[in-house]
Amino acid sequence: MNQSEERRRIALVTGGSRGIGRAVAQRLAETGVQTIFINYLQNETEAGKTKGLVEQYNCRCFLARANLFYEEEIDKLFQTVKAEVDRLDIFVHCAALGAFKPLKEIKSNQWDLSMSINARAFLLCVQKCLPFMKEGKIVALSSLGSTRFVPNYGAMGPTKAALESVIKYLAVELAPMGIQVNGVSGGLIQTDSIIKFPEAASFLQEVSARTPARRLGKPEDIADVVMFLLSPAARWIYGEIIVVDGGLSLL
Amino acid sequence: MDRGLTEDQVLKTLSNIIVEALRVDPSKITRDTRIFLDLNAESIDILDIRFRMEQAFGFKINQEEMLRSVGAGLSAQEIQMKFTVGSLADYLMEKLRQQKN
């Protein structure tokens, strides 16, 4: 590996098989990242497609299947990282899971799953990133439902609020180590997940009409802001949750 | 977990998993219990049960394959009708046989 190769950054993206995670992985590859580890839960075919996209850009890509609900699987994910590299420069947490229903109807197992994947897994992954990061940038994906009421988002919103709090605490704790932690909060983004909303078609139409920019967000809209937070231009931003929603939350 | 499990052992383990995940009365669980229709399981609950099964039996399970194991070419509604504790136990037995070979 020559010197310029050594300077190219190494990234880990959770939930990278589809949607926003895939868009982030692709953007990372486009901007010259040397190696990307793509964590996914199940969909090997889709993860393989992300790998194919990434590898078009002279970027090494390793797929790491791991269920982030279980800490031992997070450990295995980092064993995969350790087997290939000795540092990480970037960690982006896109993995998310939840039931789309009112909070008053959430069952305890559904709450536990959502909270574990959306908030606890981020914390555990960051802890396990630290031995690999001398300096680094960490971004987690949140959503407007963390602070605002979104119908049928009861299993997700509170977990994203927890995630945002974890982001802010870690931002302070890790800043002296040269590690920046931030978040991106999207409006409704067109991914495979949104069709799971009850009465999705009418809901999406309504949100699109209410959004000042008059459309739903795309994964690339979020990925581009993630890339900004990972860039030197964002060097003085710590613990911020950047809202990227086409103006939806202004109304 | 030892992969030389009997059908009864698999059924018992699976029943315990379902009881823990869905917090249902164990007496409600028989081979014929329909997981969606009788226990009101939602898609996230199926995910939860799958995760617990993966931990208990020590292998990864493809959710689509698991649901489709009740019959090829069925609609989502038909799958919900046929997806029983017994059908899931049979799927697990088949997976265990594959793991053994």
Side-chain angles (χ1 to χ4, degrees):
Chain A
M1 199 181 284
N2 61 35
Q3 269 195 330
S4 68
E5 277 294 292
E6 282 176 15
R7 276 198 300 270
R8 289 174 66 196
R9 298 193 291 177
I10 299 172
L12 167 63
V13 180
T14 62
S17 64
R18 292 179 292 173
I20 297 169
R22 173 184 286 171
V24 167
Q26 188 170 356
R27 285 285 193 267
L28 286 167
E30 284 170 4
T31 52
V33 164
Q34 178 219 93
T35 303
I36 304 178
F37 293 89
I38 301 284
N39 154 253
Y40 68 102
L41 174 62
Q42 168 168 291
N43 201 326
E44 199 166 355
T45 307
E46 293 300 314
K49 286 182 193 168
T50 304
K51 182 171 159 56
L53 285 170
V54 163
E55 286 176 339
Q56 289 175 1
Y57 299 93
N58 185 30
C59 175
R60 294 199 307 162
C61 184
F62 296 95
L63 299 181
R65 182 177 182 166
N67 181 347
L68 305 183
F69 183 69
Y70 296 107
E71 187 166 1
E72 59 267 30
E73 296 213 19
I74 298 177
D75 286 333
K76 279 186 197 161
L77 167 63
F78 280 86
Q79 282 163 18
T80 304
V81 171
K82 194 176 180 180
E84 300 296 336
V85 298
D86 57 6
R87 68 181 158 90
L88 277 174
D89 306 293
I90 292 167
F91 169 50
V92 183
H93 184 62
C94 302
L97 192 153
F100 293 96
K101 60 194 289 194
L103 184 57
K104 62 182 163 56
E105 294 169 14
I106 295 296
K107 294 186 279 188
S108 60
N109 67 315
Q110 299 170 344
W111 172 270
D112 290 346
L113 268 182
S114 280
M115 194 59 94
S116 296
I117 304 269
N118 301 347
R120 190 185 68 171
F122 173 65
L123 170 64
L124 295 178
C125 284
V126 171
Q127 288 174 345
K128 292 170 204 296
C129 276
L130 294 182
F132 295 91
M133 275 191 176
K134 281 187 186 145
E135 291 180 339
K137 292 179 188 282
I138 294 171
V139 176
L141 294 188
S142 188
S143 64
L144 291 184
S146 63
T147 52
R148 303 172 70 89
F149 179 82
V150 175
N152 294 307
Y153 203 67
M156 293 288 280
T159 68
K160 292 295 192 181
L163 173 67
E164 290 182 9
S165 185
V166 172
I167 289 168
K168 288 172 185 289
Y169 270 84
L170 288 173
V172 175
E173 291 179 4
L174 303 186
M177 300 163 63
I179 297 172
Q180 278 174 272
V181 187
N182 287 294
V184 174
S185 176
L188 204 59
I189 307 300
Q190 274 179 311
T191 65
D192 296 348
S193 302
I194 57 172
I195 56 164
K196 293 174 186 164
F197 268 102
E199 298 169 14
S202 58
F203 177 61
L204 301 184
Q205 203 171 18
E206 187 192 324
V207 172
S208 181
R210 271 183 48 209
T211 302
R214 291 291 184 270
R215 66 168 174 85
L216 297 177
K218 297 175 189 166
E220 295 74 20
D221 296 328
I222 302 296
D224 284 342
V225 178
V226 171
M227 293 308 299
F228 163 69
L229 288 172
L230 298 175
S231 76
R235 63 191 168 276
W236 205 232
I237 299 177
Y238 285 79
E240 287 296 330
I241 313 297
I242 311 285
V243 174
V244 184
D245 67 350
L248 177 63
S249 58
L250 296 172
L251 302 182
Chain B
M1 182 178 268
D2 175 16
R3 290 186 177 144
L5 294 169
T6 65
E7 282 186 43
D8 280 350
Q9 287 169 322
V10 168
L11 192 60
K12 191 166 190 304
T13 304
L14 175 59
S15 300
N16 289 339
I17 284 171
I18 292 171
V19 165
E20 279 177 29
L22 302 181
R23 301 179 67 84
V24 290
D25 185 340
S27 67
K28 278 190 173 177
I29 308 278
T30 69
R31 267 191 71 86
D32 295 331
T33 305
R34 296 170 301 178
I35 298 173
F36 286 100
L37 300 184
D38 298 326
L39 302 178
N40 297 319
E42 299 162 45
S43 59
I44 189 172
D45 297 322
I46 301 301
L47 206 58
D48 185 13
I49 290 167
R50 174 164 73 83
F51 290 173
R52 291 171 195 255
M53 292 191 309
E54 288 179 343
Q55 287 284 305
F57 294 103
F59 52 79
K60 291 288 182 189
I61 294 167
N62 182 299
Q63 185 132 335
E64 189 71 11
E65 177 194 88
M66 176 182 79
L67 292 171
R68 296 267 166 215
S69 69
V70 295
L74 299 179
S75 68
Q77 207 171 9
E78 288 167 326
I79 288 173
Q80 292 198 354
M81 290 285 290
K82 288 176 176 278
F83 193 66
T84 62
V85 173
S87 77
L88 188 50
D90 293 343
Y91 170 77
L92 288 169
M93 282 303 293
E94 180 56 32
K95 292 295 283 184
L96 285 163
R97 269 191 287 274
Q98 288 171 10
Q99 297 287 317
K100 216 172 173 182
N101 295 331

